[in-house]
Amino acid sequence: MPGAWRLGLLRGVLEVKQFFRQRDQVLFTFAFPVVLLFLFASIFQGDVSGAGVTASQLYVPAMVAAGIMSTSFQSLGISIAIERDERVLRRLRGTPMPPTAYFLGKIWLVLGTGLLETSILLLVGATLYDVDLPTTPGRLFDFAWIFVLGLTACTLLGIAVSSVPKSGRSATSVVVLPFLVLQFISGVYVTVDAVPGWMLDFSALFPLKWMCQGLRGVFLPESAQMLEQAGAWEYGRVALVLGAWCIGGMLLCLVTFRWTNRRDG
């Protein structure tokens, strides 16, 4: 039998093909953050008071962070729950394919869709709203590690949360609701200085708030630090929290993941 890595790559190719065959899902996944960026950048025009940035420049990193979590946490949380409900996981578990290959396939899918969605958002922001993209080696490095840590943490959380819904039909409600709430209190749709302190403290327990903050540090000038709760980008804390969620997410996956529904035993 081929090794798990090669099978994981083949599984990833299959996952990507299946994803792009569902045209409505593809359209929604990639168009939704672009539409939101268009709406917010059009409604909140002009400069952000005292920050030295435009509203569109402020929303691009937030939308990128939300897009990363959407293609990982939300996508996997729903799709794996549906596959479990339809007994796809049970059938795969009964084949000679190592379990690692299944998860590697999902990781390849998340990586591909995450990179593509991020590229589309940055292209739209740069061409339509004159958003300044990071060009210095330091900022590109910061963008890379925030992207990798954030995507990894949200992917593991998506796999873990897929065991929460009791059926595939309830998966969307169970996964989308907490993600939607986090977007509002983590600085995606509403600026951080407008969110109550206790809500920010709660959102700080999860990856999205730190992904938004770290990416704002990549895209925005130093003058915009005044918008943050701590008045700084806090890259060290961003890395610490995202890294902790990578470890915690892995532990949650090991403890909670199931190949069958509860009713199947």
Side-chain angles (χ1 to χ4, degrees):
M1 291 292 295
W5 285 102
R6 181 170 179 272
L7 285 174
L9 178 59
L10 294 175
R11 179 73 195 178
V13 173
L14 178 61
E15 292 278 359
V16 171
K17 287 182 178 179
Q18 290 177 336
F19 172 80
F20 280 99
R21 284 171 182 166
Q22 302 176 33
R23 296 182 179 179
D24 53 343
Q25 181 182 359
V26 173
L27 180 62
F28 179 82
T29 299
F30 296 126
F32 184 67
V34 174
V35 171
L36 287 180
L37 175 60
F38 169 76
L39 290 175
F40 282 106
S42 300
I43 294 172
F44 303 102
Q45 297 181 3
D47 296 338
V48 180
S49 178
V53 296
T54 62
S56 55
Q57 185 84 21
L58 182 64
Y59 276 111
V60 164
M63 292 301 173
V64 169
I68 293 172
M69 195 166 185
S70 173
T71 55
S72 52
F73 172 80
Q74 178 175 286
S75 176
L76 292 186
I78 296 173
S79 63
I80 294 178
I82 292 175
E83 290 177 353
R84 181 184 294 111
D85 193 47
E86 294 177 348
R87 293 180 169 83
V88 174
L89 297 187
R90 188 173 187 174
R91 292 194 293 270
L92 288 175
R93 192 71 177 93
T95 67
M97 183 186 75
T100 306
Y102 171 77
F103 296 110
L104 287 174
K106 293 295 185 184
I107 291 172
W108 283 116
L109 172 63
V110 166
L111 180 61
T113 53
L115 285 171
L116 183 56
E117 182 171 78
T118 299
S119 300
I120 293 173
L121 274 170
L122 296 182
L123 179 63
V124 171
T127 55
L128 298 184
Y129 300 104
D130 296 323
V131 171
D132 296 325
L133 301 183
T135 55
T136 62
R139 292 205 169 196
L140 290 175
F141 174 75
D142 289 334
F143 179 83
W145 68 259
I146 293 170
F147 180 89
V148 170
L149 284 181
L151 190 73
T152 302
C154 293
T155 296
L156 293 170
L157 283 175
I159 295 174
V161 81
S162 69
S163 298
V164 176
K166 293 183 178 179
S167 67
R169 285 180 293 183
S170 65
T172 300
S173 301
V174 171
V175 176
V176 171
L177 179 59
F179 178 44
L180 183 61
V181 172
L182 282 178
Q183 289 179 86
F184 275 98
I185 65 175
S186 299
V188 176
Y189 301 142
V190 183
T191 56
V192 173
D193 58 342
V195 179
W198 68 269
M199 287 188 179
L200 280 177
D201 293 338
F202 178 75
S203 68
L205 299 174
F206 302 95
L208 183 58
K209 187 260 186 187
W210 300 101
M211 291 162 58
C212 290
Q213 183 171 316
L215 289 175
R216 280 194 292 269
V218 172
F219 285 86
L220 305 184
E222 296 301 314
S223 59
Q225 292 186 80
M226 59 165 290
L227 298 174
E228 302 300 330
Q229 187 179 24
W233 303 130
E234 298 182 292
Y235 285 127
R237 186 169 292 184
V238 171
L240 180 63
V241 174
L242 294 182
W245 268 112
C246 289
I247 298 173
M250 176 63 73
L251 294 176
L252 283 174
C253 290
L254 294 174
V255 172
T256 64
F257 186 79
R258 294 177 290 102
W259 291 91
T260 60
N261 268 335
R262 296 183 183 91
R263 65 172 181 269
D264 296 329

